[in-house]
C-alpha cells in the first residue's frame, strides 16, 4: 500500500530480535503483535524511542508494539522483513472465515492479475496497428505490420505459459515446472501431430486427444491446479535425498500424460462450450453483458466480483478474437463514475470532499475507480446511483450495437483505441457514443440530485459545525480514560477519551459519519464523523484474542451511519467468563486537531453527550 513506513518497520523488526526471533506476527486495531522465540533479546528502549511507536508492552506471551490507527500500513511493511511459515502461525491470529465464493474469486484474480500488464501491452500494440491501417501508414501485407502483429500475438499464442506461471505462484507450487508443462502443450512437435490428424497413442494404449492448446485458457488452469496436488504428494512420499531428481522427472511424466489424455481434452471441451455460450450471447442477447457490467460494476468492485467477470472477456478474446462481455460495460461504468465525481467536486463546498472528488475523478477517467468509489460515491450514495443508471444505459447502447474491443487493456479513456479493428471504425464510434450516453446521463442525474443531497452546496457551513457532540456508544458507567486497565489507553497515548464499563452488549454509533475501519475480530471499530473527528471504539482488553467469538457486527467498512445506528453486539457474560475485561474505550484518535475536548464522564446512558471536541 505504501512505503512510507518502510524504515520504521525495518527498525521494529531489528529491535525485536530480527526475523529469526519471530514465530508469528499479526495486528489488531492499534498494535503490532508478535509471538517471539526469546523476549529477553528485545531492545525495548530503542523500540520506544522510535518515531511512530507509541509504546511497547508484553502480555500473555505476546509482545505488543503500539502504533495507532495506521497499524495496518506499518504491518504491511513489517511483513516484508519477517518470514513466518504456516506451520508456526499461532492459533490466535485473527482470521476471517472465507466463503467458497470468495476463495474462487481470489483464485481467479490471483491467476489473471499478474498477466494483465502483458495482455494490456499486447492490446495497445494491436490498437496502434489498427490506427496505422486506418490512416494508411502501413498495410496488412507489409513486413512492418506482420512483425508488429507478431509482437502482440505472441502473448496470446503462449497465453497458457503465462497463466501456468501465475497460477503456480498462486497455488504455491513450482512455477518453472508449471511453465515446462505448459510448454509441452505448445511444442511444435505436438502441433505437427495435431495438424497431421493421425491418432496418437502413448505406450500403444493411452490415446492422446488431438487438440491445439495455443490461445487456450481453461485447459492449463485445470492442469496446473492438479499439478499443485501431484507435486505436494511427490515431495511427501519421495525421500529428500533424491527428490531433486525424481520429483521433477515423475512430475513431468505424470502431468504430461494427464495433460494430453484427460485434463487438456476436458478443459478444451469446457472451453468449446464456453465459446458456444459466447456465440449465443453475441447472437441472441448481446446487450445483456454490457448492461450488467455497466450498471453493476461499482458493486462488483466492492465485493471483488469484477475479478471473476473480467477473465470471461479474456477467454472470449482468446477464442473469438474480441471481447464484448466485460470491456464495453466496464469503460462505460468507469466514465460514468468519473463524471459523477467531477460533478460532486463542482457542487460541494466541503474542502475535503472537493479535493477527494477532484483527484478521484481524474484517476477514474484513467480507469482506476477505487478512490472515487470508496471516497465519494459510496459514502454519499447518490453519485453511486447516478453512476449505475448512466453506466447501464451506456452499456445498453454498446450491447445493442454489438460493440466490442479487439484487445485487452485498461478501461479508462485511452481504452477507446482498443475498439479500432476489423478494418472499420464502427466499433470505435459506437463506444464513443456509449461513453457519451453514460457521461451525459450520469452528469445530469448527479447534478440534479446534488440539490437535495448537497444541502450546503451553495452556502457556507454553519459555525456550529466547529463543535461536535459525541454521544455515548454503549450503556454503562463512564470513567475517565486514565482509569482504563490497559496502560496504552489510560496514558492517553492514542488520544483523549473515556472508558465505559458496559451494562449492555450493544454498541451504537456516537456520531453521524463513515465506518473507516472494522477489524475482522469485530472487537474494535473506527468512525470518521461528518465533521472529521476520528473516533475509535475498542471493546474489551486483549479481546482480539477471541477471534470474533461473542461479537456480531451489523455494518461494514465504508458504510455511512447516523447517530444511534447499531454497530456491534457482544456477549458481556461470555467475554468475562473467558477471562477478558469488557471495558470499552471511546477515543478521539486525532485529538491533536482540536483546541479543546470537553469530557463528560458522569453520563451513564447512550445518547447523552460524552465528548465535545471543538476546533
Amino acid at each position: 500500500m505504501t512505503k512510507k513506513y518502510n524504515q520504521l518497520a525495518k527498525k521494529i523488526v531489528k529491535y525485536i530480535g530480527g526475523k529469526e526471533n519471530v514465530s508469528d506476527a499479526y495486528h489488531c486495531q492499534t498494535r503490532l503483535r508478535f509471538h517471539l522465540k526469546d523476549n529477553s533479546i528485545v531492545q525495548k528502549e530503542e523500540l520506544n524511542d522510535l518515531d511512530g511507536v507509541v509504546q511497547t508492552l508484553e502480555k500473555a506471551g505476546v509482545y505488543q508494539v503500539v502504533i495507532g490507527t495506521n497499524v495496518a500500513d506499518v504491518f504491511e511493511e513489517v511483513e516484508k522483513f519477517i518470514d513466518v511459515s504456516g506451520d508456526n502461525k499461532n492459533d490466535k491470529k485473527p482470521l476471517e472465515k472465507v466463503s467458497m465464493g470468495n476463495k474462487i474469486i481470489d483464485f481467479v484474480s490471483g491467476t489473471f492479475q499478474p498477466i494483465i500488464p502483458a495482455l494490456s501491452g499486447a492490446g495497445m500494440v494491436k490498437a496502434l496497428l489498427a490506427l496505422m491501417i486506418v490512416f494508411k501508414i502501413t498495410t496488412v501485407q507489409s513486413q512492418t505490420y506482420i512483425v508488429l502483429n507478431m509482437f502482440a500475438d505472441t502473448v496470446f499464442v503462449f497465453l497458457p505459459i503465462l497463466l501456468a506461471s501465475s497460477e503456480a505462484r498462486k497455488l504455491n507450487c513450482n512455477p518453472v515446472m508449471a511453465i515446462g508443462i505448459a510448454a509441452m502443450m505448445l511444442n511444435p512437435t505436438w502441433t505437427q501431430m495435431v495438424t497431421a490428424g493421425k491418432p496418437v497413442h502413448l505406450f500403444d494404449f493411452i490415446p492422446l486427444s488431438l487438440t491445439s492448446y495455443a490461445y487456450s485458457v481453461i485447459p492449463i488452469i485445470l492442469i496446473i491446479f492438479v499439478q499443485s496436488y501431484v507435486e505436494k504428494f511427490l515431495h511427501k512420499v519421495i525421500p529428500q535425498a533424491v527428490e531433486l531428481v525424481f520429483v521433477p522427472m515423475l512430475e513431468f511424466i505424470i502431468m504430461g500424460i494427464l495433460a494430453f489424455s484427460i485434463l487438456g481434452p476436458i478443459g478444451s471441451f469446457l472451453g468449446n462450450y464456453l465459446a458456444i455460450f459466447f456465440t449465443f450471447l453475441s447472437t441472441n442477447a448481446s446487450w445483456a453483458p454490457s448492461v450488467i457490467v455497466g450498471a453493476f460494476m461499482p458493486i462488483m468492485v466492492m465485493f471483488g466480483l469484477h475479478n471473476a467477470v473480467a477473465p470471461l472477456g479474456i477467454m472470449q478474446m482468446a477464442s473469438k478474437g474480441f471481447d464484448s462481455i466485460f470491456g464495453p460495460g466496464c469503460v462505460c461504468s468507469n466514465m460514468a463514475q468519473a463524471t459523477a465525481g467531477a460533478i460532486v467536486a463542482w457542487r460541494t463546498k466541503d474542502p475535503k470532499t472537493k479535493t477527494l472528488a477532484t483527484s478521484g475523478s481524474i484517476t477514474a477517467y484513467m480507469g482506476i475507480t477505487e478512490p472515487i468509489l470508496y471516497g465519494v460515491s459510496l459514502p454519499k450514495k447518490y453519485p453511486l446511483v447516478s453512476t449505475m443508471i448512466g453506466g447501464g444505459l451506456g452499456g445498453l447502447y454498446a450491447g445493442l450495437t454489438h460493440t466490442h474491443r479487439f484487445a485487452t487493456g485498461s478501461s479508462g479513456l485511452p481504452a477507446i483505441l482498443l475498439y479500432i479493428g476489423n478494418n472499420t471504425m464502427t466499433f470505435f464510434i459506437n463506444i464513443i457514443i456509449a461513453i457519451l450516453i453514460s457521461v451525459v446521463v450520469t452528469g445530469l442525474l448527479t447534478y440534479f440530485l446534488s440539490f437535495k443531497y448537497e444541502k450546503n452546496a451553495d452556502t457556507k457551513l454553519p459555525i456550529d459545525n466547529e463543535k461536535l457532540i459525541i454521544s455515548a456508544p454503549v450503556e454503562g458507567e463512564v470513567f475517565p480514560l486514565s482509569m482504563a486497565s490497559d496502560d496504552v489507553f489510560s496514558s492517553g497515548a492514542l488520544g483523549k477519551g473515556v472508558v465505559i464499563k458496559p451494562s449492555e452488549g450493544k454498541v451504537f454509533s456516537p456520531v453521524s459519519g463513515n465506518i473507516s475501519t472494522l477489524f475482522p475480530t469485530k472487537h474494535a471499530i473506527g468512525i470518521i464523523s461528518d465533521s472529521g473527528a476520528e473516533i475509535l471504539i475498542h471493546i474489551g482488553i486483549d479481546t482480539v484474542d477471541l477471534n470474533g467469538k461473542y461479537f456480531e457486527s451489523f455494518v461494514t467498512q465504508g458504510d455511512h451511519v447516523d447517530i444511534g445506528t447499531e454497530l456491534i453486539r457482544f456477549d458481556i457474560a461470555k467475554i468475562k467468563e473467558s477471562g477478558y475485561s469488557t471495558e470499552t474505550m471511546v477515543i478521539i484518535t486525532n485529538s491533536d486537531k482540536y483546541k479543546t475536548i470537553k469530557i463528560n464522564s458522569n453520563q451513564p446512558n447512550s445518547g447523552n453527550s460524552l465528548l465535545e471536541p471543538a476546533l
Side-chain angles (χ1 to χ4, degrees):
M1 183 182 293
T2 174
K3 292 187 177 181
K4 178 180 178 182
Y5 303 105
N6 184 273
Q7 290 303 311
L8 172 61
K10 186 176 182 179
K11 291 178 180 178
I12 289 174
V13 174
K14 175 184 176 182
Y15 293 144
I16 61 174
K19 67 178 183 180
E20 298 81 7
N21 195 36
V22 181
S23 60
D24 188 23
Y26 56 99
H27 70 91
C28 62
Q29 193 74 12
T30 58
R31 315 171 190 197
L32 301 173
R33 293 172 178 256
F34 297 97
H35 287 275
L36 302 178
K37 298 175 183 177
D38 185 358
N39 288 0
S40 65
I41 66 174
V42 174
Q43 296 173 264
K44 187 173 181 179
E45 291 184 6
E46 287 80 356
L47 271 175
N48 286 324
D49 288 340
L50 288 177
D51 185 17
V53 173
V54 178
Q55 190 176 344
T56 61
L57 61 156
E58 183 183 349
K59 282 190 176 182
V62 180
Y63 203 89
Q64 304 176 16
V65 180
V66 183
I67 301 296
T69 54
N70 57 333
V71 65
D73 292 341
V74 176
F75 182 74
E76 185 173 327
E77 295 300 313
V78 166
E79 285 186 298
K80 299 175 182 179
F81 299 104
I82 60 177
D83 181 19
V84 181
S85 66
D87 295 335
N88 292 329
K89 287 188 180 292
N90 189 282
D91 291 336
K92 290 185 178 181
K93 181 175 179 179
L95 293 173
E96 284 186 288
K97 292 183 178 179
V98 182
S99 68
M100 181 57 65
N102 286 336
K103 287 181 179 179
I104 293 173
I105 291 173
D106 178 65
F107 168 71
V108 173
S109 173
T111 299
F112 280 91
Q113 284 292 335
I115 69 172
I116 291 298
L119 294 173
S120 180
M124 291 308 294
V125 171
K126 282 187 170 290
L128 175 63
L129 278 174
L131 283 174
M132 292 172 68
I133 295 298
V134 169
F135 292 105
K136 302 187 183 304
I137 297 174
T138 187
T139 64
V140 293
Q141 293 81 21
S142 70
Q143 290 184 338
T144 298
Y145 180 91
I146 293 171
V147 171
L148 290 177
N149 193 53
M150 178 191 70
F151 291 171
D153 269 349
T154 299
V155 171
F156 296 98
V157 172
F158 294 99
L159 186 58
I161 291 179
L162 299 179
L163 286 169
S165 176
S166 62
E167 184 182 357
R169 287 181 170 85
K170 179 64 181 175
L171 297 176
N172 295 318
C173 59
N174 192 321
V176 175
M177 293 298 295
I179 290 171
I181 292 167
M184 288 180 193
M185 307 173 71
L186 301 175
N187 191 299
T189 300
W190 177 251
T191 304
Q192 291 171 8
M193 290 181 177
V194 173
T195 303
K198 295 180 181 180
V200 178
H201 290 81
L202 189 63
F203 304 121
D204 294 328
F205 73 92
I206 301 177
L208 305 184
S209 178
L210 296 174
T211 303
S212 175
Y213 296 104
Y215 298 92
S216 65
V217 173
I218 296 180
I220 196 63
I221 290 178
L222 184 60
I223 290 165
I224 303 305
F225 181 79
V226 174
Q227 180 213 336
S228 67
Y229 288 95
V230 170
E231 184 174 286
K232 290 180 178 66
F233 174 77
L234 292 175
H235 278 294
K236 184 177 181 180
V237 300
I238 293 178
Q240 188 174 3
V242 294
E243 69 176 8
L244 182 62
V245 175
F246 287 102
V247 168
M249 180 190 75
L250 292 174
E251 191 171 343
F252 270 138
I253 294 174
I254 294 171
M255 290 311 306
I257 294 173
L258 290 176
F260 286 102
S261 64
I262 300 175
L263 301 176
I266 290 175
S268 180
F269 176 81
L270 294 175
N272 289 336
Y273 269 93
L274 192 62
I276 293 172
F277 171 70
F278 292 149
T279 302
F280 173 83
L281 277 182
S282 62
T283 304
N284 301 283
S286 61
W287 55 271
S290 294
V291 171
I292 294 172
V293 175
F296 295 101
M297 185 64 187
I299 308 300
M300 292 180 184
V301 170
M302 287 164 52
F303 291 98
L305 296 176
H306 65 299
N307 291 320
V309 179
L312 294 179
I314 296 174
M315 293 178 192
Q316 186 186 31
M317 183 80 65
S319 64
K320 298 180 69 66
F322 62 80
D323 164 31
S324 61
I325 290 180
F326 186 74
C330 183
V331 73
C332 286
S333 176
N334 287 356
M335 297 306 98
Q337 194 156 187
T339 301
I343 297 298
V344 171
W346 171 37
R347 291 285 295 152
T348 186
K349 297 299 181 182
D350 176 43
K352 183 177 179 180
T353 301
K354 185 182 289 290
T355 300
L356 187 58
T358 301
S359 61
S361 64
I362 293 172
T363 57
Y365 277 123
M366 293 297 106
I368 307 298
T369 60
E370 281 80 359
I372 198 72
L373 172 62
Y374 294 114
V376 177
S377 298
L378 196 57
K380 287 184 171 291
K381 294 184 176 62
Y382 79 91
L384 178 62
V385 173
S386 302
T387 294
M388 293 175 68
I389 295 173
L393 290 176
L396 177 61
Y397 177 85
L400 291 176
T401 55
H402 301 278
T403 299
H404 47 253
R405 59 179 178 175
F406 296 93
T408 303
S410 69
S411 291
L413 281 176
I416 61 176
L417 297 177
L418 304 178
Y419 293 80
I420 302 174
N422 276 8
N423 297 321
T424 177
M425 296 291 285
T426 302
F427 303 106
F428 176 72
I429 295 171
N430 281 335
I431 197 62
I432 290 177
I433 295 174
I435 289 173
L436 286 175
I437 291 173
S438 297
V439 166
V440 171
V441 171
T442 302
L444 289 174
L445 283 174
T446 308
Y447 176 74
F448 287 116
L449 287 173
S450 71
F451 284 98
K452 178 178 180 180
Y453 294 100
E454 296 290 341
K455 295 180 180 180
N456 296 317
D458 297 307
T459 60
K460 294 183 178 179
L461 292 172
I463 194 68
D464 289 345
N465 276 1
E466 292 184 356
K467 182 178 180 180
L468 174 67
I469 302 296
I470 298 177
S471 301
V474 295
E475 295 275 0
E477 194 172 358
V478 182
F479 297 92
L481 188 60
S482 59
M483 296 182 66
S485 300
D486 188 286
D487 294 339
V488 174
F489 292 115
S490 63
S491 67
L494 297 177
K496 295 182 179 180
V498 298
V499 59
I500 303 174
K501 292 186 176 180
S503 58
E504 184 179 15
K506 294 181 180 180
V507 179
F508 300 92
S509 179
V511 293
S512 176
N514 294 323
I515 304 299
S516 57
T517 53
L518 176 62
F519 205 67
T521 52
K522 304 178 181 65
H523 75 290
I525 189 169
I527 307 172
I528 299 179
S529 75
D530 290 338
S531 63
E534 298 174 5
I535 303 162
L536 172 65
I537 304 172
H538 195 287
I539 307 166
I541 306 295
D542 288 329
T543 45
V544 63
D545 294 336
L546 289 172
N547 288 325
K549 196 174 182 181
Y550 312 131
F551 291 88
E552 181 182 9
S553 64
F554 300 95
V555 292
T556 58
Q557 190 166 314
D559 286 353
H560 185 275
V561 294
D562 295 321
I563 296 176
T565 300
E566 186 172 5
L567 306 177
I568 294 173
R569 287 186 187 179
F570 57 100
D571 192 322
I572 296 177
K574 294 290 186 182
I575 293 173
K576 288 183 177 179
E577 286 176 11
S578 300
Y580 295 91
S581 167
T582 58
E583 291 179 14
T584 299
M585 280 60 66
V586 185
I587 298 172
I588 302 174
T589 56
N590 62 340
S591 296
D592 58 320
K593 302 293 183 182
Y594 295 91
K595 290 182 178 179
T596 61
I597 297 180
K598 182 181 178 182
I599 299 175
N600 301 321
S601 58
N602 57 349
Q603 300 291 336
N605 299 315
S606 63
N608 291 329
S609 172
L610 184 70
L611 299 166
E612 298 182 19
L615 295 172

